[in-house]
Amino acid sequence: MAIPVNILIVDDHPFIIEAYKNAIKGYNSKGEYEFSITQAKDCKTGYEAITEAPAPFGIAFFDLSMPIYEEKGIFSGEDLAQLIKKEMPDCKIILLTMHTELLKINTLIKNINPNGLVIKNDLTFDELLLAFDKILKEENYYSQTVVKLVSQIQYDNIEIDAFDKQILFHLSKGTKTKDIPQYVPLSLSAVEKRKLNLKEILDIKGGSDIDLIREAKNKGMI
């Protein structure tokens, strides 16, 4: 009897979704599993797929960079992964990203602890099959670039929380500091203190907001 597995794929590139689906079909050539695939194209439809799912997902693929769902505070695939960990704690999470910054990779591993973490430049059909196979066998899978980053370089000790991320996001979109409390549940003084702290963390004391955003992007924080 085939083993049923509900799968969620969230990516804003249709051809990537099709690649995932083809790999899953190829993996199941012997009919050992009965895969049910739900797909979503952005943070909003990903949020709806998770919160409105009739049954828990067993495996979820998330692209990190996608159109946001600001109304629900979902700004990336990382936020969706946090959501599904809360709603469906047994779901196995696979994250896919273009980021190769050590800080970003470290943050993903610490905050999400995904079952799979794949750099998109590493991604091939065979790589995807291997990752999928390991996940189904209760193993974790990190692509070769992730393994090199983790093994060759010590982790930075820079950590930021969800409010810091939202502040950086809105600054990167041109929102003025005085207007950020409209979008983030913090007072103006709290926002300003967090900005100063971020500049200290990134060693750009006295720098402008442009300097802050540039360095945050370089470090993979946004």
Side-chain angles (χ1 to χ4, degrees):
M1 183 176 177
I3 302 170
V5 181
N6 290 329
I7 298 174
L8 173 64
I9 302 173
V10 189
D11 198 298
D12 60 336
H13 297 94
F15 67 93
I16 294 290
I17 291 180
E18 288 306 310
Y20 297 157
K21 291 165 70 174
N22 288 335
I24 291 167
K25 289 177 184 176
Y27 182 86
N28 198 34
S29 59
K30 296 181 181 178
E32 297 176 52
Y33 296 90
E34 182 182 341
F35 293 125
S36 175
I37 300 175
T38 299
Q39 61 189 65
K41 63 183 180 179
D42 51 30
C43 289
K44 183 177 187 295
T45 54
Y47 176 90
E48 292 169 346
I50 294 169
T51 57
E52 298 173 10
F57 291 108
I59 299 175
F61 293 82
F62 295 112
D63 184 16
L64 286 193
S65 300
M66 292 181 292
I68 69 172
Y69 188 22
E70 189 169 354
E71 180 182 337
K72 296 294 183 179
I74 306 293
F75 296 94
S76 67
E78 184 178 352
D79 291 334
L80 287 175
Q82 292 279 21
L83 175 65
I84 207 167
K85 278 172 68 74
K86 178 182 177 182
E87 299 290 329
M88 305 173 187
D90 293 329
C91 181
K92 296 178 175 62
I93 296 169
I94 303 174
L95 299 179
L96 298 105
T97 180
M98 290 296 293
H99 286 288
T100 56
E101 303 88 355
L102 179 62
L103 174 61
K104 185 64 176 180
I105 298 303
N106 182 32
T107 299
L108 291 173
I109 292 172
K110 281 187 173 182
N111 293 347
I112 307 298
N113 190 25
N115 301 88
L117 181 54
V118 179
I119 304 299
K120 284 196 171 182
N121 286 340
D122 294 339
L123 194 60
T124 64
F125 188 80
D126 289 340
E127 187 91 7
L128 190 53
L129 282 177
L130 179 59
F132 195 65
D133 180 62
K134 284 186 174 292
I135 299 304
L136 282 172
K137 292 178 179 177
E138 305 293 333
E139 300 176 33
N140 287 349
Y141 180 78
Y142 291 168
S143 69
Q144 57 185 355
T145 300
V146 177
V147 172
K148 287 178 182 177
L149 286 169
V150 171
S151 64
Q152 293 179 5
I153 311 173
Q154 286 188 331
Y155 285 146
D156 290 339
N157 291 318
I158 301 175
E159 295 185 12
I160 62 173
D161 64 16
F163 288 147
D164 290 332
K165 288 181 182 179
Q166 290 180 47
I167 290 169
L168 289 170
F169 170 79
H170 287 292
L171 287 174
S172 73
K173 296 302 180 184
T175 304
K176 296 183 182 300
T177 300
K178 66 181 179 65
D179 295 326
I180 289 179
Q182 297 178 31
Y183 307 100
V184 182
L186 295 171
S187 67
L188 178 58
S189 63
V191 170
E192 291 173 337
K193 286 178 182 177
R194 282 176 175 265
K195 271 180 53 179
L196 286 174
N197 185 55
L198 286 166
K199 289 179 180 180
E200 289 182 3
I201 288 173
L202 296 174
D203 197 26
I204 51 171
K205 297 175 185 177
S208 66
D209 287 354
I210 293 175
D211 295 327
L212 174 59
I213 295 307
R214 183 187 300 116
E215 190 60 24
K217 286 182 176 179
N218 288 339
K219 292 287 189 182
M221 297 166 77
I222 52 175

